[in-house]
Amino acid sequence: MTQVQRSSTPRLSRQRRYRRLLFGSIGAGVLASLALRFLDYPVLGEAVYWLGIVAALVAWRGTDVALFDERDRSLERRASQLTMTVAAVVLVLGASAARLGATLGLFEVSPFLSGALYGYVGLFGLFALCYLWVRART
């Protein structure tokens, strides 16, 4: 029993270390990028952002340890389903309210809101394409 615990502990420790490196690289890249943009260094900010992304990719692909397990995949699936449900409700209600409000002359729909609603439509279009692609592969 202790043999199994000792052999799995280094793997879990490495998994935690590489996951922290993965998410920490992204977080540090984003925060440093925002700070540099605020200080009026947009090109340097973008470079630092991409440096964080590349470091995250190296952490993700540069280890033989699986960084995500079945529990992570289950949580991700549930969160994705919840996100799509909330986005669907926002799209249905928002698009209907925008059409009715504009038609009845209650308000004018701003280009920003129209763009956001079309962004939701694009999200669902992308979801449909991904669903079909995954279904065809299985």
Side-chain angles (χ1 to χ4, degrees), residues 9-81:
T9 302
R11 185 186 65 80
L12 291 176
S13 177
R14 286 182 65 212
Q15 182 185 41
R16 277 192 295 268
R17 183 176 344 124
Y18 278 100
R19 282 177 71 157
R20 284 186 194 127
L21 183 60
L22 173 89
F23 294 121
S25 297
I26 293 171
V30 168
L31 291 175
S33 173
L34 291 173
L36 287 166
R37 288 177 194 176
F38 179 75
L39 296 172
D40 213 19
Y41 294 102
V43 175
L44 183 59
E46 200 65 28
V48 169
Y49 170 78
W50 277 105
L51 183 64
I53 298 300
V54 168
L57 289 173
V58 168
W60 176 44
R61 302 307 276 171
T63 181
D64 57 343
V65 176
L67 300 183
F68 303 99
D69 58 11
E70 299 81 28
R71 181 179 173 272
D72 296 313
R73 283 188 281 279
S74 175
L75 286 170
E76 187 175 299
R77 180 182 171 102
R78 288 174 38 208
S80 296
Q81 289 172 334

Side-chain angles (χ1 to χ4, degrees), residues 111-123:
F112 177 79
L113 180 61
S114 292
L117 291 172
Y118 280 116
Y120 278 115
V121 170
L123 173 71

Side-chain angles (χ1 to χ4, degrees), residues 4 30 132-133:
V4 172
V30 168
L132 292 172
W133 182 71

